[in-house]
Amino acid sequence: MGPGRTTTVKTVCRMCHGGCGALVELTDGVPTGISGDPENPTSHGYFCIKGKASLDLVSSPDRLRNPLVRTGPRGSGSFRPVGWEEALDQVARNLRNSMERFGPESVVFGQGTDRNYQEWVFRLANALGTPNVVGPAHVCFYPRVMASILTYGGFTFCDYAGDPEVALLWGSNKLNTHSDGVIGVGLMRALERGTRLVVVDPRRTRTARRADLHLQLRPGTDTALALGLVHLLIANGWYDAGFVARHTSGFDVLERHVRAYDPRTVAGITGLEPDLIETAARMYAQASRACIEAGTGLSQCDNAFDTHRTIAVLTALTGNLDAPGGDVIWDPMPIEGRRGFPRTDLLSEEQAAKRIGGTAHKVLSMTGWVAPADLQEAILSERPYRVSSMVVFGSNPLVSHENATATRAALAKLDFLAVADMFMTPSAKLADVVLPASSWLERDQIVEFNSYLAARQRVTTVEGARSDEEMIIGLAHRLGVGHHFYPSLEDALDAKLSGIGLTWRQFKEVGHLPNTKQYRKYADAGFRTRSGRVELAHRGLEAMGYDALPTFRPPPATTDELPFVMTSAHNLQFFNTEFRQLPTTAHRYREPRVTLHPRAAERLEVADGDQVEIYRDPDRPGVVMRAQVSDAVAPDVIVADAGWWYPDEDDIDAATRSSINRITDSDRRDPYMGSSMLRGVPVGLCRVADPQTEGGAHGRHPGH
Ligand SMILES: Nc1nc2c(c(=O)[nH]1)N[C@H]1C(S)=C(S)[C@@H](COP(=O)(O)OP(=O)(O)OC[C@H]3O[C@@H](n4cnc5c(=O)[nH]c(N)nc54)[C@H](O)[C@@H]3O)O[C@H]1N2
Ligand SMILES: Nc1nc2c(c(=O)[nH]1)N[C@H]1C(S)=C(S)[C@@H](COP(=O)(O)OP(=O)(O)OC[C@H]3O[C@@H](n4cnc5c(=O)[nH]c(N)nc54)[C@H](O)[C@@H]3O)O[C@H]1N2
Ligand code: SF4
Ligand SMILES: [Mo]
């Protein structure tokens, strides 16, 4: 055989939200290599370990290649393969049945973190008349999105290209996670050009190691710190008085509100030295240009929204809002994308008012999302109404949603569950119908970022798998709402792009279109809030029954029995619950890890690499992980890997035994967003027998 013919296709990576330019090498049409695209104007050739693992997705023997219909009891894993027509017919039949018996709201769609087809899921829900789309919005992106939108009428992004003098990274591990669809390359380059870095994180991360100042606070106390910084800015006159006078409302009440958060009080709450708090405040406030990158570390507790709201206030007070090197609002490009494509106009007010959790968590409900715990309660109690069917497009709720016990009970109680996924996850195993989804390498997608629009083009196919967009078109036609969709995916992509005057085929050739950045757009038209000003005190929220000003709610206290504050975080080489079965990412990382301080380890007789159990209740089973002993955390703090499951285990319980959400719950919720306490949770920890070296079961160690 002669050498194969090699070609290279340019596309955009989707192993995380980031969107690095990727070059896929094809030999005789088969992908044989992948690397970063040096010509990409945002990633400049950067490519991480997950990106390099992309081709594993296509070659994995574990990929689902056939629609499956359940034959044994729910969760038994017994399925028979069927054709696509039969599978979609069966899903449509069950949804129609639920809608006819219990109303359209009895059908719920599930979606995990955004995979660039989220707007399709919402469009289907709206067209069918159900207000219920469940997902991790409440603990992920939306607390910061809504805090920012309600405070000043838009969502901001750090303007790294504008050379901030200081970047404040707060609960964000940007250099590892490339969160919010902005890769860390811009930050990396700004640091090289001299941006100084302040990091607020209970853990000394890779990002924190590069910081000029690291505020290693107690998990769950960020609102107090943020209010303390506001206090220092106002008390010392370190704010932009001109901007405040012209463009904000509520300064006087804010000023009085934050007096209680003096450095000594805040030090007592956060565990930080008062001097360090003052230094951070001065560094941030006196910089001529400064931005704040607020991350998911702040969004997973009952104070999520108010933490982000206080951070939005800091941005406004310092005049860094929409300013060069500050926090900039980007207007979207004129395509029918995330904003227009969901067609919220198709959902009647009457149906929208039925959204589960809508009266309890009003700000989350404004986004269209339902919080998992609200759905769990609704399914189990059948209140406010019966939830009958659910279709999940790309989520692993049994692992990712808080309170795995309640999640499992709720999923099991549904009349019908369908899951679309690339792999047989524990959640898919509970389904009646499993739909094999294609990976990003097998798709044509328009990818919308704040600063650019990119074409992700299909480079290969995996026989039997389909994109979620195609599944949704198939279901829409079967359910009588096909007229709200398009005959084909390409028609839809053309329609989405019509605002910029390109067809999909033309855009594929272009590959990448930059958005225009404009600073200080408020100068002419004001802010897009009700008052046209930045709402430092929010009268609209007050009218909805909330506090006009952000307040600090202390996290639950540790006890003698539960002496550690547990928080969880996302891993460098995995993406949420994904990639545990891919050789490139998982070959040296086969079990989850929990970081604990050497002093804690010594006291508990735990050595690095030992098996330990983390528990919420000494009398109930916890979760087992490998100890990673390191002074990157404080002696009373532990940081656990989020999102773990074991793809090799057939049994659902065994597969999910190390998922941290076995021990999280929804007892305390953020009143605005419904965010549960995934971070800042009191726990106990002890060594357990290691089945690999000590044989036997996972018994707790006799020393305990
Ligand atoms: N304790 C704790 N819990 C957490 C977190 C935490 O830090 N701690 N993080 C939270 C956050 S921020 C998030 S976003 C959630 C994530 O929660 P989820 O979104 O539920 O988790 P993912 O792993 O992203 O789920 C993706 C699933 O979709 C599949 N998939 C990937 N691509 C596609 C596709 O294109 N189509 C389809 N149909 N399937 C696809 C994957 O194989 C995987 O099984 O978890 C939340 N839960
Ligand atoms: N490699 C990789 N990239 C990812 C993901 C992934 O799983 N892996 N997931 C994607 C998703 S869905 C999301 S939402 C983003 C998340 O990306 P980020 O916003 O960076 O979130 P995390 O890395 O989960 O947490 C950020 C930091 O918060 C810290 N933290 C924990 N508790 C607290 C606290 O109480 N206060 C403060 N100040 N900090 C705290 C953690 O130690 C961690 O270093 O990343 C996305 N990108
Ligand atoms: S940072 Fe994200 S987009 Fe970039 S190569 Fe890694 S996984 Fe892909
Ligand atoms: Mo997320």
Side-chain angles (χ1 to χ4, degrees), residues 6-71:
T6 308
T7 49
T8 303
V9 182
K10 272 181 195 265
T11 184
V12 197
C13 178
R14 179 52 183 82
M15 296 297 271
C16 81
H17 301 135
C20 293
L23 296 176
V24 183
E25 186 190 273
L26 301 168
T27 308
D28 292 332
V30 176
T32 44
I34 188 162
S35 57
D37 177 1
E39 288 174 8
N40 183 284
T42 36
S43 60
H44 309 279
Y46 177 82
F47 220 57
C48 79
I49 179 172
K50 295 185 299 305
K52 290 173 190 151
S54 300
L55 299 192
D56 290 0
L57 282 182
V58 180
S59 59
S60 171
D62 294 339
R63 270 291 290 277
L64 296 170
R65 285 156 205 271
N66 258 308
L68 301 169
V69 168
R70 180 168 66 83
T71 50

Side-chain angles (χ1 to χ4, degrees), residues 427-441:
S427 306
K429 214 163 262 173
L430 282 178
D432 301 292
V433 176
V434 180
L435 303 166
S438 56
S439 78
W440 68 270
L441 289 155

Side-chain angles (χ1 to χ4, degrees), residues 340-353:
F341 197 79
R343 293 288 310 272
T344 40
D345 58 297
L346 295 177
L347 188 71
S348 69
E349 266 180 45
E350 189 195 344
Q351 283 306 104

Side-chain angles (χ1 to χ4, degrees), residues 112-113 115 395-396 400 420-421 443 468 568 570 577 661 679:
T113 196
R115 295 194 158 74
S395 177
N396 189 356
S400 62
D421 204 298
R443 294 197 186 199
D468 299 81
S568 48
H570 294 203
T577 71
N661 285 327
R679 304 187 176 190

Side-chain angles (χ1 to χ4, degrees), residues 605-661:
E605 296 176 24
V606 169
D608 192 66
D610 276 354
Q611 289 247 18
V612 293
E613 184 172 340
I614 310 164
Y615 52 87
R616 289 286 297 287
D617 179 340
D619 300 322
R620 299 235 307 272
V623 295
V624 176
M625 296 195 174
R626 290 268 168 204
Q628 189 165 40
V629 179
S630 155
D631 65 0
V633 293
D636 60 344
V637 170
I638 64 170
V639 182
D641 281 352
W644 204 275
W645 64 288
Y646 297 103
D648 291 340
E649 297 279 6
D650 280 333
D651 177 72
I652 293 178
D653 264 322
T656 57
R657 68 177 184 272
S658 294
S659 164
I660 196 67
N661 285 327

Side-chain angles (χ1 to χ4, degrees), residues 226-236 255 258-263:
L227 290 164
L229 296 185
V230 173
H231 166 78
L232 283 169
L233 262 58
I234 296 179
N236 293 298
E255 196 259 314
V258 295
R259 274 184 210 155
Y261 296 91
D262 61 88

